[in-house]
Amino acid sequence: MIIRSLETALEAIHDGAVLAVPREQSGVAMAATRALIRRGVGRLHLVALPTSTLQADLLIGAGAVATLETSAVSLGELGPAPSFTAAIKAGTIVMKDATCPAIYAALQAAEKGIPFMPLRGLIGSDLLAHRPEWRVIDNPFGTNDPVVLLPAIKPDVALFHAPMADAQGNVWIGRQRDLSTLAHAAERTIVTVERLHDGNLLDDPVLAAGTLPGFYIEAVALAPRGAWPLPLPDHYPADTAHLAEYAKMAATAAGFDKYLMNHVYEQRAA
Amino acid sequence: MSGPFRDEELLAAHVADLIGDVRHVAVGNASPIPATAALLARARGKGRPYVSLLGSRRHTFFTDGGVELFDCAGQGRIDVFFLSGGQIDGEANINLVSIGDHDKPTARFPGSFGSGYLYYVVPKVILFRTEHSRRTLVPKVDFISAPGASDPNVYRTGGPICLITNRCLFDFDRASRRFRLASLHPGHSLDEVIEHTGFDFDQPDAVPITKAPDAATLRLLREVVAPEVAEVYPQFAAHVFGFTRAA
């Protein structure tokens, strides 16, 4: 059965998993993230395509992340991400700094089942200097043209939130194509959705164009307002008052713990 | 600052002039003044250039995910982009990562975003930093998110053309890898710029004053651009233009 309860759907995300998640504008599974923290998930290798906001900060603050691979973490207009910043300064997580297209390219390599992808840029940067696994070769089709090769990122699990799915596990993602990249690249994909669609999404050619086939999907869980307090683009905006409260509370360890108690361990309705 | 306009309006108007007549301007995260400038350029150009604001639903045409922006840039389909830095040095190297020892930093910034790629492949990159101080404009950055210039054999179709701050505008010369003072904003002096700049830069014999925005520009900014900016930067639009979207 593809449609499961939230807790059951998340079983595939084991401690130490390479977990890939999307940027805020694509649909972040925040209800699922809170459920993972309640379950006590740990040692995650979190890959954020290509950036993250509250999701990474919350997971880091809760001690669930061992390694973070992304291009940036912040709270946008609300300023720095407090748990991320504190963890880097304290050295409690391994940070693999990237640039946005490098994360896309490495996941695209996994989509294609190839070991690496070349990318322009990066040469002469300290991003490259701190990544021994990124190699520079001379373009074999040119002369004296150095180019960077990035090894594929093959996530164990991709996790995101989408507007709707049907009973076959087909998920409607609309124009949020990053979600397709994540699902194609990952071993397994877990999706939370606002609602279940009555019928088969692939039957309607208009909907089918924005549908991720159930073939790629391990589990779907119903989670109305499952991106809250982040936005679900085209559906609802960010809860900026709540995010401002988070930014304030997470500035101290005691405040962050209180936030977890109030909003994560207490299963408060969104 | 003197005159019946805000600093943000002066900067946005000037950046709109710097954008020039191009086909496609893209604006990344956390860039309210560049976003304002790009939308002003579009309002003046009656729809040209195309403007892609990351994080906007209305002001971006991309339908193929985040990768479409970088694919566009790789092909030369983005003419102007904006970057900033926690630190920027005299060779236009930018640091969006951290201050101090990389493994034990004293300060951490969000991260490099698309800079490690876009700085190389967008022809006109406008550097933007509204805090002009020795803390931000340094002799040498602690971490190079992206270098201002590259060796001749490195594929590089783009790079920085200038640096605009709250005090002045510098042009960047890619051959000498140095900034040159281009204009002082109204109310700011050369001595002040020297005092607050951590790197050496070139200067002309007489430094012009940055042109103040005219009445038509201010009207476009406040009436046409402000509501558009508010979609992505509601707090900025409220603070600068007093614009609040109806609920």
Side-chain angles (χ1 to χ4, degrees):
Chain A
M1 191 55 189
I2 286 187
I3 312 296
R4 300 183 199 163
S5 73
L6 181 58
E7 282 70 22
T8 316
L10 296 173
E11 278 170 5
I13 303 175
H14 54 84
D15 285 5
V18 177
L19 176 66
V21 295
R23 62 193 163 129
E24 182 174 306
Q25 294 86 359
S26 291
V28 175
M30 284 306 302
T33 301
R34 289 186 289 271
L36 283 171
I37 292 171
R38 280 195 295 276
R39 202 189 76 193
V41 71
R43 291 184 289 109
L44 292 173
H45 179 138
L46 188 68
V47 177
L49 177 69
T51 58
S52 188
T53 58
L54 177 69
Q55 184 181 33
D57 204 61
L58 202 55
L59 285 166
I60 291 168
V65 177
T67 300
L68 175 64
E69 190 165 2
T70 191
S71 304
V73 181
S74 80
L75 298 180
E77 262 201 302
L78 295 168
S83 307
F84 163 76
T85 309
I88 298 273
K89 286 167 80 172
T92 51
I93 60 169
V94 174
M95 180 65 198
K96 293 163 85 98
D97 269 294
T99 186
C100 300
I103 306 271
Y104 284 104
L107 285 165
Q108 286 178 303
E111 277 190 281
K112 295 172 199 297
I114 53 175
F116 59 82
M117 191 74 94
L119 189 73
R120 287 301 191 188
L122 287 171
I123 293 170
S125 74
D126 286 328
L127 294 171
L128 177 62
H130 284 89
R131 287 295 201 105
E133 72 273 33
W134 289 357
R135 304 280 179 81
V136 181
I137 62 155
D138 198 31
N139 171 8
F141 302 99
T143 49
N144 191 21
D145 177 17
V147 61
V148 177
L149 302 185
L150 313 163
I153 297 174
K154 177 82 185 158
D156 295 316
V157 184
L159 172 68
F160 52 81
H161 186 71
M164 60 181 168
D166 65 23
Q168 289 73 45
N170 301 311
V171 178
W172 190 80
I173 59 171
R175 69 179 113 178
Q176 304 301 339
R177 308 309 300 173
D178 285 18
L179 304 180
S180 166
T181 301
L182 287 171
H184 290 175
E187 194 71 42
R188 295 191 165 94
T189 293
I190 299 167
V191 185
T192 59
V193 294
E194 288 293 310
R195 64 184 182 87
L196 293 175
H197 173 78
D198 191 16
N200 188 321
L201 287 161
L202 295 175
D203 285 347
D204 177 341
V206 175
L207 290 176
T211 297
L212 187 57
F215 173 76
Y216 298 101
I217 309 299
E218 171 90 2
V220 173
L222 190 60
R225 290 189 69 76
W228 178 87
L230 297 180
L232 182 62
D234 300 328
H235 289 77
Y236 46 85
D239 183 345
T240 44
H242 182 92
L243 290 170
E245 186 193 350
Y246 174 79
K248 210 163 125 192
M249 291 179 82
T252 65
F256 183 84
D257 288 345
K258 192 169 167 217
Y259 180 90
L260 284 188
M261 287 309 297
N262 290 353
H263 299 291
V264 176
Y265 292 113
E266 291 285 313
Q267 291 200 38
R268 217 182 69 145
Chain B
M1 177 72 48
S2 58
F5 50 82
R6 295 182 58 102
D7 285 7
E8 292 90 346
E9 292 174 320
L10 172 86
L11 297 182
H14 199 63
V15 171
D17 292 343
L18 291 169
I19 288 170
D21 183 30
V22 294
R23 183 156 185 265
H24 188 185
V25 179
V27 184
N29 296 84
S31 311
I33 295 174
T36 304
L39 292 168
L40 174 61
R42 186 175 71 181
R44 280 174 173 170
K46 311 252 187 298
R48 179 187 162 94
Y50 283 97
V51 171
S52 296
L53 298 190
L54 263 68
S56 167
R57 190 174 69 113
R58 207 165 299 151
H59 304 292
T60 175
F61 57 78
F62 295 130
T63 55
D64 200 23
V67 77
E68 192 176 357
L69 168 79
F70 303 106
D71 289 355
C72 262
Q75 294 174 304
R77 290 175 190 255
I78 294 176
D79 301 292
V80 181
F81 193 71
F82 301 88
L83 288 170
S84 187
Q87 294 179 321
I88 299 172
D89 71 23
E91 293 192 13
N93 298 313
I94 60 173
N95 174 8
L96 293 155
V97 169
S98 58
I99 303 277
D101 178 1
H102 176 258
D103 297 323
K104 199 113 187 66
T106 55
R108 169 73 205 200
F109 309 126
S112 301
F113 291 99
S115 66
Y117 178 80
L118 295 173
Y119 211 24
Y120 298 76
V121 296
V122 175
K124 290 168 126 180
V125 176
I126 296 172
L127 294 173
F128 205 87
R129 183 69 224 210
T130 44
E131 181 198 328
H132 183 147
S133 71
R134 284 182 178 260
R135 195 176 77 103
T136 57
L137 306 186
V138 299
K140 192 164 176 23
V141 295
D142 292 6
F143 184 100
I144 300 175
S145 287
S150 301
D151 292 342
N153 67 327
V154 172
Y155 181 87
R156 186 145 196 177
T157 52
I161 58 161
C162 63
L163 163 62
I164 189 160
T165 76
N166 56 318
R167 303 183 198 273
C168 69
L169 172 74
F170 296 104
D171 287 335
F172 186 69
D173 184 83
R174 289 181 194 171
S176 65
R177 301 189 180 191
R178 282 176 68 84
F179 284 110
R180 180 181 177 84
L181 185 60
S183 71
L184 292 162
H185 301 335
H188 297 275
S189 71
L190 176 60
D191 284 349
E192 171 202 330
V193 166
I194 292 170
E195 184 192 337
H196 293 284
T197 306
F199 55 73
D200 288 336
F201 56 87
D202 299 325
Q203 51 184 284
D205 294 335
V207 188
I209 302 294
T210 307
K211 195 180 79 173
D214 58 26
T217 296
L218 289 171
R219 195 177 61 244
L220 270 183
L221 275 172
R222 293 166 186 174
E223 291 173 13
V224 177
V225 174
E228 295 178 340
V229 170
E231 185 213 352
V232 189
Y233 298 105
Q235 298 190 22
F236 174 84
H239 172 68
V240 174
F241 300 112
F243 182 86
T244 312
R245 275 205 292 183

